[in-house]
Structure formats: C-alpha cells, structure tokens
Amino acid sequence: MTYTKDMIIGDILDQDESTAPIFMEMGMHCLGCPASRGETLEQACMVHGQDVNKIVEKLNEHAGA
C-alpha cells in the first residue's frame, strides 16, 4: 500500500493498526474519537502543526513502499 495525504486516518488504522505510533508521534492521542478517524492526513497535520509530507513519508517507510 502507498499512503497519500488525502487518505482518511480511520481507513489507515483499520488497514494497519501498527501505524498508530506514527499518529501518536504527531500528537494525535485520541485515535478512537470519531472526529480524528474521519480526518484526512492533510487535515490532521494542519490541526496538529505537522508537515503532511513527512508523515506520508513515515507511513510509506513503515509500509515498505
């Protein structure tokens, strides 16, 4: 799988729960709340002041993409 900035966080977590620590690193500590699970990576990064490209890169490295 290749991750992109327009993917929904809930979908990513449903497909691979082992990505949770990456979200925790960016300050998303409430991964179970409905609002966070419905956000795109780009939206979450804006809210948490993170660079979406760095998060996408981490996720893709994690996935071996």
Side-chain angles (χ1 to χ4, degrees), residues 47-63:
V47 169
H48 293 280
Q50 299 292 319
D51 181 342
V52 68
N53 295 315
K54 288 182 182 177
I55 301 300
V56 169
E57 183 178 329
K58 282 185 180 184
L59 287 166
N60 283 317
E61 284 175 8
H62 175 78

Side-chain angles (χ1 to χ4, degrees), residues 22-60:
I22 296 169
F23 293 108
M24 299 295 274
E25 283 178 22
M26 69 181 262
M28 287 195 67
H29 300 282
C30 58
L31 293 176
C33 94
S36 71
R37 289 189 53 90
E39 291 178 321
T40 64
L41 283 173
E42 186 170 39
Q43 291 169 328
C45 285
M46 284 190 295
V47 169
H48 293 280
Q50 299 292 319
D51 181 342
V52 68
N53 295 315
K54 288 182 182 177
I55 301 300
V56 169
E57 183 178 329
K58 282 185 180 184
L59 287 166
N60 283 317

Side-chain angles (χ1 to χ4, degrees), residues 1-2 4-5 8 13-15 18-19 21 24-25 29 32-33 37 43-44 48 63:
M1 162 173 282
T2 300
T4 63
K5 66 182 181 179
I8 303 294
L13 289 167
D14 288 344
Q15 291 176 14
S18 71
T19 60
M24 299 295 274
E25 283 178 22
H29 300 282
C33 94
R37 289 189 53 90
Q43 291 169 328
H48 293 280

